[in-house]
Structure formats: structure tokens, C-alpha cells
Amino acid sequence: MTAVTARVPAKVNLQLSVGPPRADGYHDLVTVFHAVSLFDEVTVAPAERDTVVVTGEGDGSVPLDGSNLALRAVTALVDTLGPGCRDAPGVSIEIKKRIPVAAGLAGGSADAAAALAACNELWGAGLSPQELRDVASQVGSDVAFALLGGTAIGLGRGDQVTPALATGTYHWVLAFAAAELSTAAVYAACDRLRASRGGRPGKPGEARRPARPGQVEPPQLDTALMTALRSGDPAELGPLLTNDLQPAALSLLPDLRRGLTAGREHGALGAVVSGSGPTCAFLARDARHARDLAVALAGAGVCRTVATVVGPAPGATIIGVAAEKS
Ligand code: C5P
């Protein structure tokens, strides 16, 4: 084999409930991931040394050194398989980006997942999906989900994923912001906001036993959301979208509020910041409504650009294998 290409989706979070900070700096989560049809493509090929080339959306802000998530994924895979796993001393990684960088859509994690799936194929390593997800967990919290795709529940720091029972196709508009947000900065802002408000329940809007000052209750899966997902009805799902990181993202980028309001005014069934933001996700009634909503949001001047996508989308998938010429 001379090259393998994998395609991998962006994600939004339908529920993102964040627990208190852990000793290791991460937060325990209960989240519902949903992969959407905005894809990056990653091609890996044997090379004299490890290299990364990035083209497309936001290519200038993706690191090309050892901190690149796709390269870190390859290193983690080599560590798992042993140095004899590959014929050549290195691997070239070519990333074609359509998922914006630092946008709350797990684009970097997606590239890491694609690199794992593609190298597993390139080297004939034969790791099972669960074995690949175990390697993925070492690379980042969202990488295991990018391998799995679909709609899934994420526990732990988000890396323990299980497929969710969901039916139907959901039509979304993604509104991309001009700014980027660092995930770590948004989690830190969330902790600060909670500390200043004397702790917060795991899920906004739900009646719960009041938290003691400074205490954050453990997050719980929203059973109404799971029921809505089984119904396949976007009108049921829309009002149930929640994100504990949204107040933090809005505190760092207050202008996002205008976009969320504009989306609701144009009939979005649900409007939520995606992950740590700043991308906002709007749930539409159907494909036509998504197109109308996209036009309205673009015209309102509340974002850099918009995209219509559908979910759930499949996780990292091999889409091309170039065989050696004999
Ligand atoms: O795992 P990942 O590298 O994607 O996480 C980026 C940052 O986001 C972490 O360094 C941490 O600050 C924050 N994070 C967190 N709790 C999680 C996931 C991420 O605090 N469950």
C-alpha cells in the first residue's frame, strides 16, 4: 500500500453537562455527541520521516510540529504497536480541512481519529474498533467519538463512548465565528463563573437540589433528550439542547448571543453553542428550513460564514487506498 485516505466528521454536542474540575485538570462529563456531515480528509503514506501538511479551512492555525493531534495520534499508535509496525521510518500526513480550527467542532480530534484509522489500515495493524478507541483516549477527549461517529453518549472526560439509540436525520445550520476559542480557556472560564455564582447544577434549567456554595453536582444524562432522539422528531429534540459551557463561551465572546437570538427568531427549533464554541449550531425542521435559516443567518451579519449539514454522520471511514504498483 502506498497511501490510505480516511474521511472524518465534525461533531456537535446535543447535551454537554460538565462536572467539577478533577485533580488531573479535566472535568467529568456527561455528553451526547452527534457527528455531522462536515468532513476533513486525512491521507497517510510511508515516508523517510514524519511530516504534516495542512490545506483548506484555517490551515494557517494548525500546528505542523509534534503538537499536531494527527501526528500525536500516529506516535501513540506506534507506541502501542511497537516500532516494527511500519516498513518506512516515518509517515507523511496530509490533512484537507473543511472543519474550522478551534471552533468547538472537534476538528483537531477528527484529524487524529482519521490518522489512527488510516495508519491502522496502512500498516495492516488490525486493531479492533475498541483497541483503536483506547489509543484515541490517550490523544484527546473527543478522538474516540470521531472514530465512532453517529450519535453517542460520552462519559469520563468524554472519551468513554457508547452508541445512543437514535432515529431520523437532523438538519442543522452551523454558524462559524470569526474568532477562535481555546477549549482549555472555556473550561477555565466555566469554573470561574461557577465559583463566582456559588456552584451550579449539572444541567441548566432543571429543578435540582440546590448546590452548596462552590459545589457542582455530578452531571446526569438527560432522559428526555434520549427519548426525543428515539422519536426522531427534531421539534422534540430542539428545546432540549443544552451546553454547560455556553455561559463561559458567551462570557468570552458576548457577540455570539446575537447569533443565537437571530437563529431563534428565524424559527430554529434549538440554538446552542457547539462544545466549547464559538461555532453555534441551529436545528432546523427539515432541509428546506435549514437552507432558509442559513440564508437568514448569513444575511444578519452575525457570523463569518454558515454551512448546512445533516447528522448523524458516520465516524472515521477509509475512503481511498492506493496500492503499490507491481
Ligand atoms: O482532551 P483535550 O486535549 O481535547 O482537552 C483540551 C482541554 O480541554 C484540556 O486540556 C482541558 O483543559 C479541557 N477539558 C476538560 N475536561 C474535559 C475535556 C477537556 O477540562 N472533559
Side-chain angles (χ1 to χ4, degrees), residues 25-29 72 109 139-142 156-158 183-184 187:
Y26 284 91
H27 297 70
D28 276 324
L29 306 180
R72 280 178 45 198
S109 301
V139 184
S141 306
D142 294 337
R157 44 189 256 273
T183 305
Y187 273 98

Side-chain angles (χ1 to χ4, degrees), residues 1-323:
M1 245 177 263
T2 53
V4 175
T5 301
R7 191 184 82 155
V8 66
K11 63 85 188 158
V12 296
N13 301 77
L14 308 180
Q15 174 185 355
L16 179 46
S17 298
V18 178
R22 311 191 311 200
D24 64 1
Y26 284 91
H27 297 70
D28 276 324
L29 306 180
V30 173
T31 188
V32 179
F33 290 113
H34 182 70
V36 294
S37 61
L38 177 68
F39 299 102
D40 280 359
E41 280 181 23
V42 175
T43 301
V44 296
E48 282 310 305
R49 60 190 179 87
D50 291 336
T51 55
V52 185
V53 175
V54 182
T55 55
E57 171 80 34
D59 50 3
S61 25
V62 179
L64 304 178
D65 59 11
S67 67
N68 181 282
L69 279 180
L71 188 51
R72 280 178 45 198
V74 171
T75 306
L77 188 59
V78 172
D79 286 348
T80 300
L81 297 172
C85 66
R86 49 183 179 179
D87 300 336
V91 61
S92 74
I93 305 170
E94 198 186 308
I95 304 174
K96 288 193 186 134
K97 289 211 66 67
R98 286 186 61 218
I99 308 173
V101 177
L105 297 166
S109 301
D111 300 339
L116 283 179
C119 284
N120 191 39
E121 183 75 20
L122 181 72
W123 301 333
L127 289 193
S128 68
Q130 183 56 53
E131 285 169 329
L132 271 183
R133 288 202 291 275
D134 289 343
V135 181
S137 299
Q138 301 164 32
V139 184
S141 306
D142 294 337
V143 183
F145 173 70
L147 284 170
L148 183 66
T151 305
I153 298 162
L155 302 178
R157 44 189 256 273
D159 59 327
Q160 306 302 316
V161 287
T162 323
L165 276 176
T167 55
T169 300
Y170 298 92
H171 296 265
W172 299 89
V173 179
L174 300 179
F176 306 129
E180 297 182 355
L181 278 178
S182 134
T183 305
V186 175
Y187 273 98
C190 176
D191 291 339
R192 277 198 307 276
L193 280 178
R194 285 172 162 181
S196 69
R197 289 174 191 172
R200 267 217 139 187
K203 188 171 175 313
E206 210 174 73
R208 278 167 184 254
R209 162 172 77 78
R212 283 196 301 278
Q215 185 197 20
V216 181
E217 288 179 36
Q220 285 169 23
L221 187 64
D222 183 345
T223 49
L225 179 85
M226 301 315 289
T227 305
L229 279 171
R230 284 197 294 277
S231 80
D233 180 359
E236 267 193 50
L237 180 65
L240 297 171
L241 303 174
T242 57
N243 179 358
D244 278 0
L245 292 180
Q246 182 160 310
L250 292 177
S251 75
L252 297 172
L253 287 177
D255 273 357
L256 293 180
R257 216 179 285 276
R258 287 173 51 224
L260 292 172
T261 304
R264 288 191 198 101
E265 280 171 5
H266 286 95
L269 300 173
V272 74
V273 169
S274 174
S276 55
T279 303
C280 293
F282 301 91
L283 184 58
R285 289 190 298 275
D286 51 29
R288 190 188 173 137
H289 181 214
R291 277 196 301 276
D292 293 347
L293 195 51
V295 170
L297 286 166
V302 290
C303 54
R304 175 171 61 85
T305 178
V306 294
T308 53
V309 296
V310 295
T317 307
I318 305 296
I319 57 164
V321 176

